[in-house]
Amino acid sequence: MQRTELTPPPPRFNFARHLMAANAARAGKTALIDDAGTLSYGQLADQVARFSAALHALGLRREDRVLLLMHDSSDWIVSFLGALYAGVVPVCVNTLLTARDYAYMLADSRAQGAIVSGALLPTLQTAMADGGHEVQQVIVSRSTDPVPAGAHDWATLVAGQAPGQGVDTHGDEPAFWLYSSGSTGAPKGTVHTQANLWWTAELYGKPVLGLTENDTVFSAAKLFFAYGLGNALSFPLSVGASVVLMAERATPQACFRRFIDHQPTVFYGAPTGYSGMLASPDLPAREQVALRLCSSAGEALPRDIGERWTAHFGCEIIDGIGSTEMLHVFLSNRPGDVRYGTTGKPVPGYDVQLRDEDGSVIEGHNQIGDLYIQGPSAALLYWNNRAKSRETFQGAWTKSGDKYVRDPDGYYTYAGRNDDMLKVSGIYVSPFEVEATLVQHPAVLEAAVIGKTDDDGLTKTKAFVVLKPGLQASEAELQAFVKEKLAPYKYPRFIEFVAELPKTATGKIQRFKLRDLENQRLFGQ
């Protein structure tokens, strides 16, 4: 495999301090552009140092965890980097989840603090009330309502502190967490180090994306994703580029406004987003945008979407695969070497293996195998989950849970998951969790959830439902029921009512038979 030889960061390493030093000569250059305005590199460094001091002033200590539940903004980036600078560990969480999810994460991480966008404060308050875990300090960003008693206004808190000096952390020290979904639906706290952010920027952001200080980048994938964290924070800030941040949902129209208003040169999205933009009647003309390169991850990019995007905008989409466990992309197409329909080749600095069911390395071509990765950005462990840590982090190798096939030219093509997990719009969805919710409906006897490929080649959730004798329920009714109980993106896009589900002799649902049925329908068999 290809190797990129880099001098690693020194043992004593703090990523926030590293970024501040790297951009010291760019104090007047625009670093961040969000819905409220801009922040220069000098202002960014000042706010990071002040926020770090504020955390210490509130009594938060080194290695304490703080929940980071915020919409994308300059406040998010300052909060994340300020926590790293202080040696406090931000636990970055998806803003689309329910109060029940946050209650679990607060208790699991034992978070001593929470940093929250004003619009998300009511959900957090419900989580804190219902979860039984006491959060010592709550910091509220950009609230349109008065901050509740006992909480702190983000802007007032930062303005009232003198800049701190930061903490002398170790490069291998736990720096931040990202939660990754599990096959049972229970999220896993994935623990990353200070140095992991540096490695992904050095191995992918600079050499593969070719980012420079002349770029303006915009990511539809949010900062709480591992993908979005690299796209809009560690990669651009490592080279002095400018970042466009968007708090709202990444609809085609919202993205188009940023394309035209801010003229980003690099855009990061997921296949579902690219498909939606291509289908929009508001799609900008090529001469209205400044895109030089686009990136896709989260799920496999269908060939047709990539080809149509390039034909319209004249720039390539480089499709890649990364993971929460590896922090960012480790297998990718390259600018000028894009083979649509594949995920490209290993990123220099990472080794990739395909292994058969016995664990033996597959040396030949055109054979499906389990994908394993070796690289310096791997997470340390899953918090409080020794069994899953051992299963995933196997010595120097990380088991991805994905199946791939390698062609004779060395390009890798996605071949599915090892388990029944689904990726919908780039986010993992547990079929078990959706099934367990559907059967709570009084009319539902049984349910089985699989992935259904739509006309664009993208995965959508489909539920096969068996109703109780004599009872009725509509597709819309069941979809609304799931939306009320789970994060909205998890609801089944399609529901088919059936008389019975295929099962083994022991009563286990055979989802593979339902997948086979969908494939037969897809190919007209």
Side-chain angles (χ1 to χ4, degrees), residues 83-151:
L84 264 60
Y85 197 57
V88 173
V89 178
V91 178
C92 313
V93 296
N94 189 331
T95 58
L96 304 174
L97 301 180
T98 65
R100 183 181 64 179
D101 295 317
Y102 300 133
Y104 172 84
M105 292 172 179
L106 285 168
D108 183 57
S109 66
R110 300 197 301 275
Q112 297 302 299
I115 314 165
V116 61
S117 292
L120 298 168
L121 179 60
T123 305
L124 176 67
Q125 290 174 315
T126 301
M128 292 190 297
D130 296 347
H133 173 76
E134 185 176 352
V135 177
Q136 301 300 317
Q137 302 290 349
V138 176
I139 304 170
V140 185
S141 165
R142 302 188 183 185
S143 178
T144 56
D145 298 315
V147 173

Side-chain angles (χ1 to χ4, degrees), residues 279-304:
S280 172
D282 301 321
L283 186 69
R286 180 186 300 193
E287 57 271 17
Q288 291 180 276
V289 305
L291 297 173
R292 70 165 180 85
L293 182 67
C294 292
S295 166
S296 180
E299 55 187 324
L301 178 74
R303 179 193 304 271
D304 177 65

